[in-house]
Amino acid sequence: MSFDFDKANQSFDSLPYKDRLKSIADLAKNTLSIVGKDKDIIKPWIRMTIYHSIMVTFFFGGFFLWQYNHPGYGFLCFVLAFFLFLYKHFYDNKQEMRMSWIVYETVIGNDPSYKGATTASKEIKWYIRKIAGIDILMSFVNKSKYTGGGIVKMLIRLFISGLEEVWDLANHYLLPSVAVDRLDITTAIKEMKKLKDRVPESLVGIFGIDFLGKVVRQVTVPAYIILFIISAALGYFGSEILPATTIDFNGDDVAFTFVPIIFAFWIGKLFSNIFERTVTAIKVIYFTVFYTKITHPDRIREDMQDELVDYLNLKQVDEVDNLEEQDVEQE
């Protein structure tokens, strides 16, 4: 079954929110079948979620300590969170590279271990640092604010937005090319340009598709809104038992505690970071399998050949789209 690129984009962009989540859930379920071949695949994800949870906890812990009149300890938490934030790009790329290596070794029939992935990543640590450096650059580019009007600033904003999307996709093709074939970044980028010519006809439609690009925001934003409403109510009614601040509201002094809001955003950020790491893990697994299928199809174990083709073709998304088309025709 071939898969059309424009159709895939349209499917994910136009599906109702509920069906879109179902498609992603199905993709995640099928990804777990790959993970089930070797449990070591999930170990880098576990380490990334722990790292990000500690980073987020230090950051919001600083706010908690500030509210409870411990500014010195609060400032220390902010400093630790800042350094963890800077290093996270290097840590994440290292873990993603290890995950990519384990996935590759699994689909070609070996029995990899996390210890083996650690040894393999040490041989390419300079390449990992290069990719992490580009990640940091793109992070600052993404967070740069260009205000004001004018055609020039509008074009700058469009360029930065496009650059971010291109890098996110390129990054997930670079990971397996470095992890599997030990290619230098420059060489890998050159090879990426030739990669499409080597894609099998049945998979050509999904080359370049970023099918998880908007999922994190679509899932986490509603959660943040709900958490904020609940915590704001608790901030008002809980001002008598928690550290509170007096706010001038239309001439009246109103006691309000920010502790529930800090707690709510801490929980929300923990959830969003774990969800982001999960989405990233799915991408790493997917694109490693994709890269292996394109560049080394003869190495894939025989019993996984058909299973991987269905997995790569996003069969579950195609089926959702076909069901919708049938419903439209019936109407």
Side-chain angles (χ1 to χ4, degrees), residues 5-164:
F5 172 70
D6 293 329
K7 183 180 177 182
N9 276 325
Q10 186 178 8
S11 295
F12 271 92
D13 288 340
S14 62
L15 278 178
Y17 185 73
K18 181 180 178 181
D19 290 338
R20 188 178 307 192
L21 288 181
K22 182 181 182 301
S23 297
I24 298 304
D26 288 340
L27 176 61
K29 182 179 68 176
N30 288 336
T31 301
L32 286 176
S33 70
I34 306 296
V35 173
K37 306 294 183 183
D38 194 303
K39 297 299 189 294
D40 286 296
I41 293 174
I42 204 172
K43 289 182 179 179
W45 173 81
I46 293 173
R47 283 164 171 77
M48 285 190 287
T49 55
I50 292 174
Y51 182 95
H52 280 254
S53 297
I54 292 172
M55 178 184 69
V56 169
T57 299
F58 270 127
F59 179 73
F60 284 95
F63 285 108
F64 277 119
L65 290 168
W66 212 285
Q67 286 291 307
Y68 282 94
N69 296 317
H70 295 292
Y73 290 115
F75 178 74
L76 179 60
C77 283
F78 287 138
V79 171
L80 290 172
F82 175 73
F83 282 109
L84 286 172
F85 174 79
L86 287 182
Y87 184 69
K88 75 172 184 177
H89 298 281
F90 296 94
Y91 188 82
D92 288 348
N93 273 282
K94 181 167 60 177
Q95 296 300 330
E96 289 166 22
M97 199 71 71
R98 291 173 182 176
M99 177 180 283
S100 182
W101 183 86
I102 295 172
V103 170
Y104 168 73
E105 290 292 319
T106 299
V107 299
I108 66 173
N110 293 334
D111 183 20
S113 65
Y114 182 79
K115 184 178 180 180
T118 301
T119 302
S121 67
K122 289 179 180 178
E123 299 173 4
I124 52 174
K125 59 184 178 182
W126 174 239
Y127 301 150
I128 295 174
R129 289 169 184 167
K130 283 184 179 180
I131 296 177
I134 301 174
D135 267 346
I136 292 173
L137 177 63
M138 292 308 303
S139 177
F140 279 108
V141 166
N142 181 41
K143 290 177 173 56
S144 298
K145 302 297 182 182
Y146 291 87
T147 57
I151 186 68
V152 174
K153 290 185 177 180
M154 182 188 75
L155 291 174
I156 290 174
R157 286 195 295 269
L158 288 173
F159 171 75
I160 288 176
S161 175
L163 189 63
E164 181 194 4

Side-chain angles (χ1 to χ4, degrees), residues 121-238:
S121 67
K122 289 179 180 178
E123 299 173 4
I124 52 174
K125 59 184 178 182
W126 174 239
Y127 301 150
I128 295 174
R129 289 169 184 167
K130 283 184 179 180
I131 296 177
I134 301 174
D135 267 346
I136 292 173
L137 177 63
M138 292 308 303
S139 177
F140 279 108
V141 166
N142 181 41
K143 290 177 173 56
S144 298
K145 302 297 182 182
Y146 291 87
T147 57
I151 186 68
V152 174
K153 290 185 177 180
M154 182 188 75
L155 291 174
I156 290 174
R157 286 195 295 269
L158 288 173
F159 171 75
I160 288 176
S161 175
L163 189 63
E164 181 194 4
E165 292 178 6
V166 169
W167 170 243
D168 181 67
L169 189 62
N171 184 25
H172 288 92
Y173 277 111
L174 283 176
L175 283 172
S177 67
V178 175
V180 173
D181 291 324
R182 300 293 192 270
L183 297 181
D184 180 63
I185 306 301
T186 304
T187 306
I189 291 174
K190 290 179 181 178
E191 287 296 316
M192 196 185 304
K193 296 176 182 178
K194 305 174 186 177
L195 206 57
K196 189 169 185 178
D197 296 331
R198 301 164 62 184
V199 179
E201 183 179 352
S202 62
L203 299 177
V204 70
I206 57 173
F207 186 89
I209 180 173
D210 184 10
F211 50 84
L212 294 174
K214 300 176 182 178
V215 172
V216 174
R217 184 172 66 251
Q218 291 169 338
V219 171
T220 57
V221 169
Y224 271 115
I225 293 173
I226 293 171
L227 282 172
F228 178 77
I229 294 172
I230 295 173
S231 63
L234 291 174
Y236 176 75
F237 293 107

Side-chain angles (χ1 to χ4, degrees), residues 184-296:
D184 180 63
I185 306 301
T186 304
T187 306
I189 291 174
K190 290 179 181 178
E191 287 296 316
M192 196 185 304
K193 296 176 182 178
K194 305 174 186 177
L195 206 57
K196 189 169 185 178
D197 296 331
R198 301 164 62 184
V199 179
E201 183 179 352
S202 62
L203 299 177
V204 70
I206 57 173
F207 186 89
I209 180 173
D210 184 10
F211 50 84
L212 294 174
K214 300 176 182 178
V215 172
V216 174
R217 184 172 66 251
Q218 291 169 338
V219 171
T220 57
V221 169
Y224 271 115
I225 293 173
I226 293 171
L227 282 172
F228 178 77
I229 294 172
I230 295 173
S231 63
L234 291 174
Y236 176 75
F237 293 107
S239 59
E240 294 183 1
I241 58 175
L242 295 171
T245 302
T246 301
I247 301 174
D248 185 359
F249 185 74
N250 290 335
D252 296 326
D253 290 335
V254 178
F256 188 86
T257 176
F258 288 94
V259 173
I261 292 180
I262 296 171
F263 181 79
F265 274 88
W266 172 56
I267 296 297
K269 196 62 179 175
L270 278 177
F271 167 76
S272 65
N273 269 262
I274 293 172
F275 191 76
E276 285 173 9
R277 290 308 96 207
T278 303
V279 167
T280 296
I282 292 174
K283 285 184 177 182
V284 171
I285 294 170
Y286 185 90
F287 283 108
T288 300
V289 173
F290 191 84
Y291 178 86
T292 306
K293 184 65 178 175
I294 295 171
T295 57
H296 307 294

